[in-house]
Amino acid sequence: MKFTAKTKMLALALLPALCFAAPSLPAQTRALAKTSPVELKSDTDWWKGAVVYEIYPRSFQDSNGDGIGDLNGIASRLDYLKLLGVDAIWLTPIYPSPQVDFGYDISDYEAIDPAYGTMADFDHLVAEAKKRDIKIIMDMVMNHTSDKHKWFLESESSKTNPKRDWYVWKDGKGPGQPPNNWISDFGHSAWQFDPKTNQYYYHKFYIQQPDLNWDNPAVQKAMFDTCRFWMKRGVYGFRLDAIPTLFEDPQLRDEKPVLDANGKPVIDAFGEEALITEGVTDNLPRVHDVEKDLRKVIDEFPGRVLIGETYFDKVADLRRSYGLHDDELQLPMDFQVGMINKLDVAAFRTRINEAETEIGGNEPLFVFDNHDNPRLDARYGDGVHDLDIERMLAALLFASRDTALFYYGDEIAMKTTPPTRVEDVRDPVGRSGWPKEKGRDGERTPMQWTPGPNAGFTTGTPWLPIPPSYTLYNVQTEVPNFDSMLNWYKQIIALHKTNPVVRSGKNVMLNTSDTKVLAWARLLDGQPAVVVACNFTAEAQKFSFDLTGTGIASKQARTLMKTPGSSDPASLDAVELPPYGVYIGQIE
Ligand code: GLC
C-alpha cells in the first residue's frame, strides 16, 4: 500500500477439472482450448508474459476449520489455479508474525507461522505446485521486522548491544521531541520513544514494525541469506515489499508539506499534514545499490525473479528500477496504469504507451488490484456497469504486452466490502484512520468458492465476514455460466498464453485522439496482427480502427474475443461496442 500523500490524494470443494470446460463453449473458445501454450525462449525467462496470481493466504482456503486460510488450503486449490491458467502465485507473508500487520511484521524469516501450517506443509505446497508447473513467489519484507523479532529484542535491550545498529535509533531533538517531523504511513510520528535507552526508533509503518538500518552491511547479508534459504527450498522469486523505502535521509531533514492547488497543506486520512516523502524517506538512490546486489544473489539460482512493490508517479522512476544496465528488478510493478482510478482513455493510452516505449524494452508488470487497495468495483465501477467495466479492465491487463498480475477473487468479480463499524475493523490502519480511512479489510475478505455456508472458505468462523454478494459471485456458480466473469478471465488468460502475438507482440496505440474508445494493435513479425478496442463509455459506440502506420493492410478480422452479446463485425471500420464493451480480433 502506498499511504503517502500522493496516493491519499489521489469452488465446491475442489471442482472437478471438467467443470471448467463448459460443454457449450463457442467455436472460438474450443479452438483456444486446443492450442498449446507458446514456447518461451528459455525456462529462465518464464516470467516474461507470465500470469501471476496474488494470494492473501489468510483469506484463500481454510483446511482445518480455524477460520484462517492456510497452506494446505492453497495446495487443495492448485488444480483450480492451473485451470485458470496461472503460472505463478505470490503469497503474501506466511512467516511467523505477531500479525499486527497480518504478516508484514515478521518475527522469523526462516519459518512458517503455525496459523498457516508447517515447513512440511510449505514443502508439500511447493512440490504440488511444481507438478502443475506453477511457481511460488514469496513476499520479502526487507524494510522492517516485527518488534518481536529477536534482532529487535536484542537491539532495544541496550545502546551497546551488537544488534543496536541493525535498526534506526536516534536521539530526540530535545526532551519529548522526536528527531524530526517524519510521519508513519500508518499515521502519526514515525518515531517511537524507548525510555529504557532514551532514544527513538524509526518505523515507516506501524510502531510494531521497526525499520532495519540498511547502512549496516550485516543487515544486508542476513536478508540476502534469507532469500537464499527460500530459493534453496524451491521458491522462484520474491515480491519486495516497500522496497523504495529502505533508506532515509542521513541528515534527518524534515519533510515538506504537500500543498494543494491553493497552496494550503493537504491533510491526510489520519488528520495530519501530508508530507513529501520523495528523496527523504522514499526512493533514495542507495536503494538501487541494494537492488543490484540482490539481483546478483537471485541470479545464483536460475530463473528466479524479483518483483518490486514500486509505487511511483513518474515513468522515469519505474525505468530506473530495472537498473541502469537492466541489472536490478526484472519486474517492478507498474502502478501507473493500474492505479489511474478513473476511466480516462487518454491517461490509459499515455501510460500503456509509456510502458511500451519508456522502460527500455523491459517487460512491464501491470497490476490493478492487491491486498492494499479497494478492488476494481470500488475504484472503477459506476454501480451499474461494474461487471462490464471489470471485463474491460481484464482485457487491458491480459491483451497488453505485459506480465499480468491479478488478485484472488478478481476472476469471480468479488466486491470490495469494507467494515461498517469501527469495532469490526481488523486492519490497524482502519482503526487509526476511521472513519476516513477504513483500512484494507474490504479487499481481504475470504475467497468465495461456493454459494453454500461460508462460501466454502471454512467450516469454522471466517476471520473476516463473507460479503453478502458471495451467493452471486462464487466459483461454483460461475463455472457453468458461459458469460460469467470467471469464464471471461479463463478465456482471456488462455488467449494471453496461447497466442504469441497477444503474449509478446509489440503494443501500438491506435486512434490516438479518440476520447471514448481505447484501441491498440499487437504486432509480431511473421504473425497475423491482433487489434483490441475497449469502449470506455456507458453508451454503445460504433468504432472504426485507424490502422495507419501499423503496416496492417486488411480491415478484415476474425473475432478472438468480444463482450457477451455483441456481434462479429463485417469490417474493422464498423465495430459495434456495447457500453464498456471489448472487441479483440485477429487480422485476416
Ligand atoms: C506493503 C504491503 C502492506 C504492508 C506494508 C508494510 O505496502 O503491501 O500490506 O502493510 O508494506 O509492510
Side-chain angles (χ1 to χ4, degrees), residues 555-574:
K555 284 255 172 143
Q556 300 303 306
R558 177 172 75 87
T559 303
L560 293 176
M561 277 189 73
K562 62 185 179 190
T563 294
S566 50
S567 48
D568 296 320
S571 141
L572 292 181
D573 277 332

Side-chain angles (χ1 to χ4, degrees), residues 55-72:
I55 291 184
Y56 198 69
R58 215 178 165 76
S59 292
F60 196 61
Q61 177 68 66
D62 178 20
S63 73
N64 62 1
D66 66 357
I68 295 174
D70 48 44
L71 296 179
N72 287 335

Side-chain angles (χ1 to χ4, degrees), residues 14 61 63 71-80 125:
L14 191 61
Q61 177 68 66
S63 73
L71 296 179
N72 287 335
I74 297 171
S76 74
R77 296 298 187 182
L78 286 170
D79 286 335
Y80 166 80
L125 174 64

Side-chain angles (χ1 to χ4, degrees), residues 213-231:
N213 173 17
W214 276 84
D215 285 315
N216 183 342
V219 166
Q220 169 154 334
K221 181 173 181 325
M223 275 300 168
F224 288 3
D225 283 348
T226 291
C227 293
R228 291 187 178 96
F229 171 89
W230 290 105
M231 288 190 286

Side-chain angles (χ1 to χ4, degrees), residues 308-379:
E309 189 198 18
T310 40
Y311 285 92
F312 294 125
D313 289 341
K314 297 192 289 284
V315 69
D317 287 326
L318 188 64
R319 169 69 190 100
R320 184 66 189 82
S321 295
Y322 289 93
L324 291 176
H325 303 285
D326 300 328
D327 51 359
E328 297 183 23
L329 314 183
Q330 292 105 319
L331 293 174
M333 290 179 192
D334 181 340
F335 289 110
Q336 297 180 4
V337 170
M339 298 286 162
I340 292 175
N341 294 346
K342 55 179 183 213
L343 294 176
D344 175 337
V345 179
F348 272 94
R349 185 178 291 128
T350 302
R351 299 210 183 154
I352 293 174
N353 189 51
E354 281 176 354
E356 187 67 23
T357 58
E358 306 291 318
I359 60 168
N362 284 295
E363 183 75 11
L365 176 61
F366 289 169
V367 49
F368 281 88
D369 275 359
N370 61 29
H371 62 286
D372 290 330
N373 293 283
R375 289 179 181 270
L376 293 174
D377 63 312
R379 292 183 297 119

Side-chain angles (χ1 to χ4, degrees), residues 446-563:
M447 175 68 177
Q448 299 161 191
W449 298 101
T450 76
N454 292 325
F457 164 68
T458 182
T459 54
T461 305
W463 78 282
L464 275 180
I466 313 278
S469 53
Y470 85 95
T471 52
L472 280 178
Y473 303 108
N474 64 76
V475 174
Q476 185 183 324
T477 304
E478 294 188 39
V479 165
N481 172 6
F482 179 67
D483 285 343
S484 67
M485 190 63 71
L486 184 54
N487 280 313
W488 180 260
Y489 264 73
K490 173 126 197 307
Q491 290 175 65
I492 200 153
I493 290 172
L495 181 66
H496 177 91
K497 293 178 65 156
T498 57
N499 184 310
V501 183
V502 178
R503 178 147 184 159
S504 55
K506 194 164 112 185
N507 247 43
V508 177
M509 304 316 289
L510 304 175
N511 299 64
T512 53
S513 53
D514 197 307
T515 55
K516 297 178 171 154
V517 176
L518 183 71
W520 66 98
R522 303 292 309 281
L523 307 172
L524 189 66
D525 281 351
Q527 302 276 348
V530 170
V531 290
V532 187
C534 295
N535 177 2
F536 268 56
T537 73
E539 294 83 44
Q541 303 291 339
K542 206 171 216 154
F543 182 71
S544 168
F545 277 95
D546 177 359
L547 301 173
T548 317
T550 60
I552 302 173
S554 159
K555 284 255 172 143
Q556 300 303 306
R558 177 172 75 87
T559 303
L560 293 176
M561 277 189 73
K562 62 185 179 190
T563 294

Side-chain angles (χ1 to χ4, degrees), residues 290-307:
V290 174
E291 290 181 352
K292 217 183 311 175
D293 289 346
L294 180 56
R295 175 64 178 272
K296 288 187 194 123
V297 171
I298 75 133
D299 283 349
E300 293 167 13
F301 300 78
R304 278 18 183 218
V305 66
L306 291 175
I307 297 177

